[in-house]
Structure formats: structure tokens, C-alpha cells
Amino acid sequence: MTVANPTAPPATPVAPRFEPALMRRKLTGTIFYGACLAAIGVLLLALTFLLIDVFRRGLPWLDLGFLSGVPSRRPANAGILPALVGSFQVGIFVAIFSFPLGVAAAIYLTEYAKDNWFNRLLQTNISNLAGVPSIIYGILGLALFVRLLGLGPTSLAAGLTMTLLILPVVIIASIEALKAVPDAQREGAYALGATRWQMVRGSIFPAAAPGIMTGLILAMARAIGEAAPLLLIGASVFVTFLPNPLEGSYTVLPIQVLQWASRPQADFQGISAAAIIVILALMLVLNGLALVVRARLSRHIQW
Amino acid sequence: MNTQLSEAPVREAATNGPGPAIRLATLPAGGAAPTVDAAPEYVVELRDVSCYYGAFRAVRNVDIKVAKNAITALIGPSGCGKSTLLRTINRMNDLVPSYRSEGQIMLDGQDLFAKEVDPVAVRRRVGMVFQKPNPFPKTIWENVAFGPKVNGYKGNLNELVETSLRRAALWDDVKDKLKQSGMSLSGGQQQRLCIARTIAVNPEVILMDEPCSALDPRSTLQIEELMAELKREYTIVIVTHNMQQAARASDTTVFMTMGEDRAGFVVEQGPTAQIFTNPRNQLTEDYVSGRFG
């Protein structure tokens, strides 16, 4: 009993030691804030440079005649109507094919497929496909659609090739959107006696639709801006008539830009820049559409 | 000695089912209980039901009788398998990949586990209201109409939606905004919308899995009042963590707990008043008096 009780509290309790260092912590925060701002700054700078350069060169060439004209050897007479129409055709084909294919595949993978190694492998592979260089899809499109199916160098073949190109992105975006729907939604539908398909149609799809449609529209924007695969599957560089989607040749805006930009004459550089402005405007329209569609489809959704 | 003496008549009443004497004690102020003195009619009977998640037995050998037009409360500590049992009755847990169950669940004399019984058909007859209100991201009208639509309802949907919302005591709140999102409502209103949605398919039994745990006291009271109304036409089984709620709102209480093997089992069931004031089992008494759980 001579040993002091080790569990007894010390006579004077030691004050808990904190070092608030408030100034230092706030400084760290300020530095991080600055870094984030700088990151945005870099992006804005690059974008501003691009826009100023493009508009400075291209704006003088941009008029109604340019939009409604056909390519010409003389830049002053050249227009981009065939390329604009070709891009629209490709875009529409992409929308028609990739929406049902992408959404159905995503619904299969999230709502139907069992969680086994095969389906996980499948999903990983789809993610990998999104990273395959677009030129590879051009080779595939050439072999499959242009030659094997005999579609020839048409905007239909281009639309199908672009569909393959963006399908992984559409599927991944749709899967993410479907997975974000709480399981309570699935149970709610099942509890009323819905079958799996009725559950998907009535509850899960409407809930995931904003995310799915946003993903689809952004992927379409990518398809419309893409040139590389089309070089392989026969997009022509000089089309002076409005393309027939099923036969004959066609061209699209990025190809037209490439063709004009590769010419040495300064005036062709100018109309190339003008065509870039048209592409940018088209992207702006598509992104705006994505916003509108998203807002419209999510009007009943408040998680 | 004392306890033994007082125990005898209760046991007798319990073996005969809730007799007239007990019925009197549990008669709610609303007077919703049937006035006939005949033995209660049982809508659902669980016979020797065991539930498994893979190799783990979550619930073992449960026998429960659910009286018609009454509210049966399942109480017990967390993890004792109340929700599992509830989700077995409408075969919701069949959706869990590793899940399986044994025994029999008789609904109007038909075994819900029988091979020829389709879970989808069971869920129309046995509705469910969940812990967190889960309205669909659709309009209020569409939320209620969804169930009838998927089940091929041929009558007037507008009428059915209105009747269902009225029965769920929500019509006056929403009659001017049926086209607004079901998710725009308050928590309590959302839960009543989910109840309206459930009764729109005219189920025989309504299962409620802690329907008030996400609600404030006022909304909770509204739901309890609604339940008292609904039992005139429906049979309700409710899982609750709130013992006052079980004591206030239910006619019969089933107390579950879990054993050493973590498998839940039924300790005691009987008229709510008896379970709370005069339980026969020490485990029940410890639980309802707050000494455990």
C-alpha cells in the first residue's frame, strides 16, 4: 500500500494541449483556393486565346453566303452547306442508333445482369473501349459498314461508325445515371406488384433519364466534332452538293475545316476559321440543349 | 407467487386468441375494432418460418398469426430480423440474391411460398410502406396511378386516385396540385402519398417497415391516426423501433429478439396491452420496460 494508486487522478489536471495555429490553417486554405483559381485561369486563358484567334480570322468570312454556299476553288465563293448538312445527317444517325443501343445495354448491365465475373469483365471492357483511339473505329467502320455491309462511303456508314465510337461513353454515362437511382425506387415499384420491366420503365428510367440524356447529347457533340475515323471511311473533302445519306459522297464540318486549313493560301485559313466558328456554335447549341433537356426531365426529381 | 397468480388468466386468453376481455382493454378510442365477439379471423399465418442470407440464419422458426382488420406490431432490438420477416411476407426479400426462406406463409389459406405462386402477384396483395418515404419522381397523380396501371386496372383512374388520396388523408393537401412532383411534398405528406399509392392497388395486407422513423412527431401522429382509420378495411403489420408507437397504435404485439447464433425468434406475442403491462416472458419485460434494447 506504499505504492501510489496509479489510476488516481493527478492533483493538478494537465490542461489539454491544442495548438490552434489559426493563421497557418487559414493560410493553407487561401493557398489552395488560389491554386484552384489558377487552374480555372489556365483553362480560360487557352479558351480565350482560341476564341480570339478564330474569331479574328474567321468572322470576316462568316456571312449568309458562307452558310448557304458550297465549297469552291475561290475562298470568297466557298460555303459550308454540304458539310453542315452532312454533320446533321451523321448526328441524327448517331442519335437514332446510340440511344436505344446504349440505354438498353446499360439497363441490361445494371438491372438485369447478375453481379458475376463475366458481367464485371464486360463492364470493364466497355470502359476500356471508351479509351480506344478514334482512328481504330474508322478502320472498323471501313471493314464492317463500308465494305462488308456494302453501305459505301455514305453518311449512314459514318453515323454507324460514330455510334460505335460513342457507344461506350453513352453506356457508361447511362450506367452511372441508373446506379445513382436509389434502391428504394426499385423496391417502391416492386412493392406495388410491378414486374422488372414495369419497374424499369415506370420508376428507374424516368429517374435516370436526365443523366442518360445529358450523357447522350454530350457524346453526340463529340461525334459531330470528330474527324479522324471519317477520313478512313471515305468522307470526301470536296462536296459541292447536298449529300444523300444513303449513297454518293458526303463530308462533315471537321473534315471541311481540315481540308481548308491544310491549304497554304491565307484566305483558305480564313474560311477554315469561319467553319470552326460554325462548329463551336453547333456545340453551344447541343450543350444548351443538354441543359434544357436535363432541366425538363428532372422537374419531378428531388433526391 | 404473485406473478404466477396474475399470469394464469392471461395465458388462457393468449391460447384462445384475444378473447372479449382482452379486446375490451385494447379497444381504441376510434372504436374501429369489430364488435363481434367471435374469435378473430386470421388473414396471414406464418408457420415455422426461417430466413437465411446464404448460410446465415437471420430468423428461425417463427409462428405468427395476423388478425384481420387489426394492427400487428413487430418490436424487438435492432438486427433481430423484424424487417427481414416483414419483407418475407410480401416476398420482397426474394430480390436479395443470397436470400431464401423456409416454412409457410398462409395468406387466405394459400401458401405464399408455394412453387406456383409468383412473387409479383403476392406483392399486389400484400402492400408495403417503407422506412423512408420513396415517392416516384413523377407527379402526385402518377405516383398513385402507377400501381393500378401496372396491374392492369380497367376502371376510372381519376376516381381511384382521388379515393386513394382521400383514404390516405392527403386529398385536401394535394387536390390542387396533382400535377406537381410527389417529391415536392413534405416528409409526412410523402409517406401518406406512399400509403395512398399502396392502397390504390387494394391490397389485403399492408406491411409497414418503420414508417415513421424519418418523420417528425406531428407527422408520426398523423400516420398513426391514419393507420387506425385504415384498419377498418385493411390488415396492417408494422415494424417499429418506437415502443410507445407499438403501445399506442397496435392491437397485437409480437416481441422478437435474437439468440446466441444471432438468429431472430419470436419471444412472445399477444394483445398489445398484455405485452406491455403484463408480459409473460422475462425477456419481453426487460425490453418493454427499457432495461434492454
Side-chain angles (χ1 to χ4, degrees), chain A residues 101-113 171 174-175 178 196-197 200-201 204-205 212:
Chain A
L101 286 175
V103 173
I107 286 177
Y108 172 76
L109 285 171
T110 48
E111 306 297 331
Y112 287 84
I171 293 174
S174 303
I175 285 178
L178 289 164
R196 189 186 292 258
W197 160 238
V200 169
R201 214 198 89 158
I204 303 307
F205 183 73
I212 291 176

Side-chain angles (χ1 to χ4, degrees), chain A residues 184-185 187 192 198 202 300 303, chain B residues 87 134-135 138 151 181 183:
Chain A
Q185 287 291 322
E187 294 191 334
L192 294 167
Q198 288 173 324
H300 291 313
W303 296 132
Chain B
R87 296 164 57 91
N134 57 349
K138 297 164 171 266
N151 286 290
S181 168
M183 290 179 159

Side-chain angles (χ1 to χ4, degrees), chain A residues 68-151:
Chain A
S68 62
V70 298
S72 161
R73 279 182 293 119
R74 287 180 297 278
N77 297 342
I80 53 153
L81 191 61
L84 200 59
V85 171
S87 278
F88 267 113
Q89 287 175 359
V90 172
I92 286 167
F93 282 130
V94 168
I96 290 173
F97 297 126
S98 57
F99 175 71
L101 286 175
V103 173
I107 286 177
Y108 172 76
L109 285 171
T110 48
E111 306 297 331
Y112 287 84
K114 289 202 172 75
D115 186 23
N116 56 26
W117 66 269
F118 178 78
N119 287 315
R120 281 197 293 271
L121 189 72
L122 200 62
Q123 207 161 328
T124 311
N125 271 303
I126 291 172
S127 307
N128 282 342
L129 282 180
V132 169
S134 57
I135 196 87
I136 310 280
Y137 285 97
I139 297 172
L140 177 65
L142 179 67
L144 186 60
F145 300 123
V146 178
R147 301 246 169 93
L148 195 66
L149 295 184
L151 295 177

Side-chain angles (χ1 to χ4, degrees), chain B residues 105-144:
Chain B
I105 293 184
M106 308 301 289
L107 174 65
D108 283 340
Q110 184 187 24
D111 182 8
L112 298 183
F113 291 161
K115 267 208 175 68
E116 70 275 10
V117 172
D118 189 329
V120 173
V122 171
R123 294 186 202 119
R124 209 279 300 152
R125 298 172 61 193
V126 185
M128 186 166 220
V129 176
F130 296 85
Q131 196 166 350
K132 250 184 89 191
N134 57 349
F136 301 128
K138 297 164 171 266
T139 66
I140 292 167
W141 189 91
E142 285 169 333
N143 260 280
V144 183

Side-chain angles (χ1 to χ4, degrees), chain A residues 45-59 277:
Chain A
L45 213 64
L47 190 65
T48 313
F49 183 75
L50 171 81
L51 285 179
I52 289 176
D53 188 54
V54 164
F55 274 83
R56 192 174 51 78
R57 291 162 184 247
L59 214 49
I277 295 175

